Amino acid sequence: MSNSIKIDNKINSFNKTITVPGDKSLSIRWVLFSSMANGKSKAFNLLLSEDVLAAINAVKKLGIKVKLYKNYCTIIGNGPNGYKYKKNTIINSENSGTLGRLIMGILIDTPYKIKIIGDKSLSKRDFSRIAEPLHKFGAKIKLTKKGLPLTIHGSKNLIPITYYENKGSAQCKSSVIFAGLKTEGTTFIKAKISRNHTELLCKFLGLPIKVKKIKNHDIIEVRKAKKIKPLNYEIPSDISSAAFFIVLTALSSNSKLLIKKVNINPSRIGIITILKIMGINIKIKNKKNYKGELIADIYVVSSKKIKAINCPPKLNSCAIDEFLIIFLIAAKANGVSYFKNIGELNQKESPRLKWGSKILNEMGIKTITTDSSIKIYGNPNLEINKKIIIKNFLKDHRIFMTSVTAALAFGGSWEIHDKDSVRTSFPKFLNIVNNLTK
């Protein structure tokens, strides 16, 4: 059976209401927090992607009971210090940087060496950036060329640290928070603004954490958690998954789309802010607070005129996973769009900045790129009338979904490989695409 998809026609106009699956970041964090809780936690709308299933398999290897039912999942935790560590344990993070990095902080007290492995893409990513602060707590970590596989051997005598996170990495910050929750004394973190799901869940659970904002940094204090209460949770829909359909609607003619119950955490909605600056018609409806997170319905309408943008770098961290899809909007803008200080894109599942430029060039769009910036010369009249093949992209799910979106929005004859890559974050992506094309 072929693992590629062919698209030869632009999408017709549509007027639909859809729901996208649960947020991946929150799904993984729910698994990890619930595994450390005292008692049974239950989650509805848990994203059953490969990344989340890898997290479930990881906590199972640590002695945690997990049950998957038709509409929900339960986890029975044994408390913050309740893992049953065993010799020769191997945890496979698959493609998940979130799991690989966060679980390192949780394993800070393992009395035995634990090996963490991942797929080809994840193994090439930089784990030294989190190994360094965790080493200061007292853990012994051995890396392979700054990446995976790695081994971690914890300590009974953990020392609280002061940590400066200056790259805007929510994964590194969260890993240190988890380590701090297992360490006597106060761990201090000064972190460049990034996703704050971990902090919000800590606050909702009543854990010993304080967060204060100073300019473009968070000052965080974490103390040891003696107990964690169970977390019953309906996972909000993922803004990163919704983003593909927001952009597809904006680029399609005479189309309207309503996406229900999406997580609109301010640290995640850079795409909404950026697209509004570019003239995209987006409305946020039925906003409410749910267990610390903001959720709402997102309504988007086709856009006839798109403005170029000199993207403010302060929006980078809250749009980091959506830049590939934002570049498609810039491709049809009137003028030159400029995105800078986005070198972190190349630290993802693939060198995404390079791939974003490559896809645009294949489409006939001029770009100028450096290691950390891209200029995109938009063409408001862009129509594609040639064959484009997208392959060998390290099975990066977002490159696949961005390419499908481009094919449906701009036309041409596309052959896009590795469709199974969507299992990483959005297994039902093509199902929703098919629903829109009916």
Side-chain angles (χ1 to χ4, degrees), residues 327 337-339 342 353 357 360 367-369 373-376:
F327 292 168
S337 294
Y338 184 40
F339 303 87
I342 54 173
L353 182 53
S357 178
L360 294 177
T367 62
I368 298 177
T369 59
S373 69
I374 184 169
K375 283 184 179 179
I376 301 171

Side-chain angles (χ1 to χ4, degrees), residues 195-197 200 263-269 292-295:
R195 296 181 183 184
N196 65 345
H197 299 306
L200 291 178
N263 177 7
I264 58 161
N265 180 308
S267 69
R268 293 285 300 280
I269 57 169
E293 295 282 353
L294 287 175
I295 63 173

Side-chain angles (χ1 to χ4, degrees), residues 140-292:
K140 295 178 181 177
I141 301 169
K142 187 176 180 181
L143 302 169
T144 303
K145 296 180 180 178
K146 291 190 175 183
L148 301 182
L150 66 79
T151 57
I152 179 168
H153 191 178
S155 171
K156 290 183 179 179
N157 303 304
L158 296 171
I159 304 166
I161 69 167
T162 296
Y163 170 57
Y164 180 36
E165 195 294 300
N166 62 357
K167 295 183 181 296
S169 170
Q171 294 175 357
C172 293
K173 173 182 66 174
S174 296
S175 189
V176 173
I177 289 172
F178 275 118
L181 291 171
K182 288 198 163 190
T183 304
E184 293 287 356
T186 303
T187 295
F188 293 93
I189 303 168
K190 182 180 180 183
K192 191 174 179 181
I193 296 293
S194 62
R195 296 181 183 184
N196 65 345
H197 299 306
T198 304
E199 298 95 304
L200 291 178
L201 283 172
C202 282
K203 286 182 178 179
F204 176 75
L205 291 167
L207 298 179
I209 185 171
K210 295 179 182 178
V211 182
K212 181 169 61 176
K213 278 188 168 50
I214 297 179
K215 294 186 178 179
N216 62 337
H217 286 83
D218 285 328
I219 307 299
I220 304 168
E221 296 180 18
V222 188
R223 290 181 290 110
K224 187 171 183 177
K226 303 293 191 286
K227 187 176 181 180
I228 298 177
K229 64 185 180 182
L231 178 57
N232 295 324
Y233 205 34
E234 182 176 350
I235 312 290
S237 293
D238 197 326
I239 183 69
S240 294
S241 297
F244 298 100
F245 299 104
I246 291 170
V247 167
L248 179 58
T249 306
L251 293 173
S252 301
S253 59
N254 302 315
S255 294
K256 300 176 182 178
L257 187 67
L258 181 67
I259 311 174
K260 303 284 284 185
K261 293 183 179 179
V262 181
N263 177 7
I264 58 161
N265 180 308
S267 69
R268 293 285 300 280
I269 57 169
I271 183 171
I272 302 295
T273 304
I274 291 168
L275 295 192
K276 281 187 172 182
I277 293 171
M278 299 180 79
I280 306 302
N281 187 350
I282 301 175
K283 293 180 181 177
I284 304 296
K285 299 183 174 185
N286 303 319
K287 186 192 296 187
K288 65 179 180 179
N289 190 298
Y290 176 72
K291 298 190 176 183

